[in-house]
């Protein structure tokens, strides 16, 4: 059969709209929403063969450990998302583009990862922002974990892609790539750290988005905008910080007062390697919670091998009341990082509007 015949057959398949919304909603909640990523225009990409199969049994026979995940949820959904079944393998891990659905200028993709040699893919798997979506048009996209099948050790991700000028994406070529996977993550929430240590930071420094008065440090983000002169004042990190958590590879490198507000600075050298994350809060003796009113993120030697990441939390607590508060935190870190070069190029199917 030729492409037009396949297209005509696809257009006759009309899944239940509520079913579609339910699955997409479930996928979004399961993976935790990721911030949208702007994707630059890319040059033309070498074509890849698009394998299209409308018969679910045939799709299952071709890929028994992947496409069956969607078919098991609903045969209607399996047909609504056109099978792609393009894959690649590297470092013993297989990545496969399972299926795609195009609706005008939006695309939904299901992508699976499976470890063929061990257990590096688990329910905590994260692409760690190492993924890239290359398109010949200006677009933005997100990627989140949708499902993990313990029996087969397969993780399925939902990728959402939007073409920013509203063009129809039918038949366009897309490349999905990733080069780093994090798994075996450890989490702890609302951990009691203890009394707030005595302030030991007596020096501050100014970091700016526009200039580099301290060339060793790079300011990445602030939680509140606008920022006066696009600059912030932070504590000068102490080289002999207080160990906060050995398991989660973090320490307190600064505690002090700036403009009447308490600053607590956390450092880690495992942000890029294992995505070490901390979130601080204060709890009063009466149970009230004080979340930080602002947070600054910056790094020392940002592009070097000795990079150290800092998070500075600012609390609006009167200095004479600080003894009434205890320090708490949420922690997470990956136990395993896997490198590789996974890249699949494929052509998007023809659009099938979910409202038709």
């Amino acid at each position: 059969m030729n492409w037009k015949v396949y297209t005509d057959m696809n257009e006759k398949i009309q899944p239940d709209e509520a079913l579609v919304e339910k699955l997409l909603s479930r996928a979004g909640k399961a993976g935790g929403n990721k911030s949208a990523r702007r994707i630059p225009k890319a040059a033309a990409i070498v074509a890849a063969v698009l394998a299209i199969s409308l018969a679910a049994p045939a799709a299952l026979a071709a890929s028994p450990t992947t496409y069956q995940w969607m078919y098991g949820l609903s045969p209607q959904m399996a047909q609504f998302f056109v099978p792609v079944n393009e894959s690649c393998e590297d470092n013993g891990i297989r990545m496969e583009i399972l299926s795609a659905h195009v609706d005008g200028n939006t695309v939904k993709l299901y992508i699976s990862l499976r470890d063929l040699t061990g257990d590096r893919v688990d329910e905590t798997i994260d692409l760690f922002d190492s993924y890239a979506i290359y398109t010949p048009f200006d677009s933005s996209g997100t990627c989140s974990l949708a499902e993990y099948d313990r029996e087969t050790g397969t993780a399925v991700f939902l990728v959402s892609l939007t073409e920013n000028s509203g063009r129809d994406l039918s038949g366009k070529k897309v490349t999905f790539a990733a080069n780093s996977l994090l798994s075996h993550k450890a989490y702890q929430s609302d951990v009691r750290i203890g009394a707030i240590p005595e302030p030991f930071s007596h020096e501050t420094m100014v970091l700016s988005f526009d200039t580099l008065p301290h060339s060793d440090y790079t300011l990445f983000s602030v939680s509140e905008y606008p920022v006066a002169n696009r600059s912030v004042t932070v504590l000068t990190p102490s080289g002999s910080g207080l160990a906060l958590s050995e398991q989660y590879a973090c320490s307190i490198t600064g505690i002090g007062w700036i403009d009447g507000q308490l600053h607590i600075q956390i450092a880690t050298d495992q942000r890029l390697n294992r995505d070490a994350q901390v979130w601080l809060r204060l709890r009063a003796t009466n149970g009230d919670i004080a979340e930080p009113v602002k947070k600054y993120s910056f790094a020392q030697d940002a592009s070097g091998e000795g990079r150290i990441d800092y998070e500075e939390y600012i609390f609006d607590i009167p200095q004479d009341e600080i003894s009434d508060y205890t320090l708490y935190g949420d922690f997470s870190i990956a136990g395993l990082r896997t490198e590789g070069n996974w890249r699949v190029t494929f052509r998007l199917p023809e659009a099938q509007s979910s409202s038709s």
Side-chain angles (χ1 to χ4, degrees), residues 49-166:
V49 177
L50 176 64
I52 297 180
S53 171
L54 291 176
L60 287 174
S63 184
T65 61
T66 52
Y67 192 70
Q68 63 183 13
W69 170 79
M70 185 178 293
Y71 189 73
L73 288 177
S74 167
Q76 290 176 298
M77 183 61 67
Q79 292 179 324
F80 182 58
F81 276 76
V82 177
V84 176
N85 297 327
E86 290 286 350
S87 65
C88 69
E89 292 180 17
D90 190 41
N91 197 9
I93 293 177
R94 177 185 178 89
M95 182 178 79
E96 182 171 4
I97 312 299
L98 300 179
S99 55
H101 168 62
V102 178
D103 187 356
N105 70 324
T106 63
V107 176
K108 302 289 185 182
L109 305 172
Y110 278 106
I111 298 173
S112 71
L113 285 172
R114 185 185 182 195
D115 191 348
L116 306 177
T117 62
D119 65 347
R120 293 167 293 177
V121 175
D122 67 357
E123 65 273 13
T124 70
I125 191 74
D126 186 354
L127 298 182
F128 191 40
D129 289 338
S130 77
Y131 71 90
I133 308 171
Y134 299 103
T135 66
F137 44 81
D138 189 30
S139 59
S140 58
T142 61
C143 176
S144 59
L145 183 65
E147 188 82 5
Y148 176 73
D149 181 13
R150 290 179 179 273
E151 186 174 341
T152 63
T154 302
V156 180
F157 291 85
L158 172 64
V159 175
S160 300
L161 184 66
T162 301
E163 198 280 324
N164 295 322
S165 65

